[in-house]
Amino acid sequence: MNKMNLEDLKKEMPYKWRVQESKQQGANCVAYVDARDVMNRLDEVVGMGMWQSKYESHNGNLYCSIGIKVDNEWVWKTDCGSESNVEKEKGEASDALKRSAVQWGVGRFLYDLPIKRLKTVEKNGKWYPVDGGGNILWNKDDLTAFINSSQTPAKPTPKVSITSDKVDGWVKRRKENKKGMVEVKGLYDISADIEKQINDKIKAQ
């Protein structure tokens, strides 16, 4: 059985968009994941029998705690949910679960995504987001499809090369555990020869 890697909980996962606020000046849309998506991520990374959740009410607020079995011990992380506009109790439980999961890293990347602002039109006294052709985006699926199709893929940032004169500095960082080689490769262009020089110097010390 492979040992779980809790860092995998932080990886980006499919997400959707919902309207946070909609008025004449425009609609603010934020990214989100469903509670079912959170459960699936926990199942995939941790294992179905290695995590559990429980709910408790304190001072009228609903809290969810997610426990993960780490080194044969249960570790718990907790957060509080807020009511939704529809099915308040169910929405509060779902929100508490997702917030608790963020404590473990699940969906934390969502907080780094920018808010999307769309144009709106008025219908029956309410303002609704519209697509580029002025068509109302009635539901979350249509909203998600439109935003995802209109996003411009970010251009990858060129990696900086690590040269021989930088080897000693990276040896020091590795020994101080500030950056692992996997992270270094993700951020920098490092050749096999330079990687070998770093590893050889670490072994020699």
Side-chain angles (χ1 to χ4, degrees):
M1 180 176 179
N2 294 330
K3 186 176 177 64
M4 65 180 175
N5 182 4
L6 293 179
E7 285 297 312
D8 288 341
L9 291 173
K10 300 178 182 179
K11 290 182 178 179
E12 188 170 315
M13 56 201 291
Y15 55 89
K16 304 172 185 176
W17 294 88
R18 64 177 176 83
V19 177
Q20 182 183 58
E21 180 184 35
S22 187
K23 51 189 178 181
Q24 183 176 3
Q25 291 78 9
N28 291 333
C29 305
V30 294
Y32 76 100
V33 292
D34 286 326
R36 289 185 295 274
D37 299 326
V38 171
M39 295 175 190
N40 288 337
R41 172 54 59 88
L42 288 165
D43 285 346
E44 293 167 1
V45 175
V46 178
M48 295 181 65
M50 301 296 287
W51 74 274
Q52 59 179 307
S53 61
K54 61 183 179 182
Y55 294 86
E56 296 175 307
S57 181
H58 297 287
N59 298 323
N61 296 315
L62 183 65
Y63 288 80
C64 176
S65 298
I66 293 179
I68 294 179
K69 203 167 190 178
V70 181
D71 296 329
N72 213 35
E73 295 287 340
W74 286 101
V75 180
W76 295 87
K77 296 192 178 185
T78 305
D79 209 331
C80 176
S82 58
E83 294 181 347
S84 64
N85 294 327
V86 181
E87 297 182 298
K88 291 185 177 181
E89 291 184 359
K90 181 179 178 182
E92 187 176 8
S94 175
D95 189 58
L97 174 72
K98 290 191 288 185
R99 287 175 180 269
S100 179
V102 168
Q103 300 291 329
W104 284 102
V106 182
R108 195 179 295 172
F109 71 94
L110 294 171
Y111 293 91
D112 295 325
L113 298 178
I115 292 176
K116 298 294 183 181
R117 190 169 180 83
L118 303 181
K119 294 181 178 179
T120 56
V121 297
E122 185 272 337
K123 190 173 182 64
N124 298 326
K126 293 184 178 181
W127 293 91
Y128 296 90
V130 296
D131 61 19
N135 302 301
I136 294 178
L137 301 166
W138 292 106
N139 54 59
K140 294 177 182 178
D141 289 338
D142 291 341
L143 182 71
T144 296
F146 172 68
I147 292 179
N148 287 346
S149 66
S150 60
Q151 291 189 106
T152 303
K155 294 182 179 179
T157 303
K159 294 181 179 180
V160 177
S161 297
I162 296 179
T163 52
S164 297
D165 59 313
K166 301 291 193 306
V167 168
D168 288 340
W170 281 105
V171 169
K172 182 179 179 181
R173 293 192 187 196
R174 284 287 308 282
K175 290 187 70 66
E176 293 175 350
N177 292 321
K178 290 185 177 180
K179 287 186 182 291
M181 188 56 70
V182 173
E183 185 177 356
V184 172
K185 287 182 176 180
L187 298 173
Y188 298 89
D189 182 14
I190 177 170
S191 66
D193 180 61
I194 295 297
E195 181 179 357
K196 184 176 184 303
Q197 289 182 44
I198 292 175
N199 291 330
D200 287 347
K201 286 201 173 188
I202 290 175
K203 291 177 182 178
Q205 293 181 1

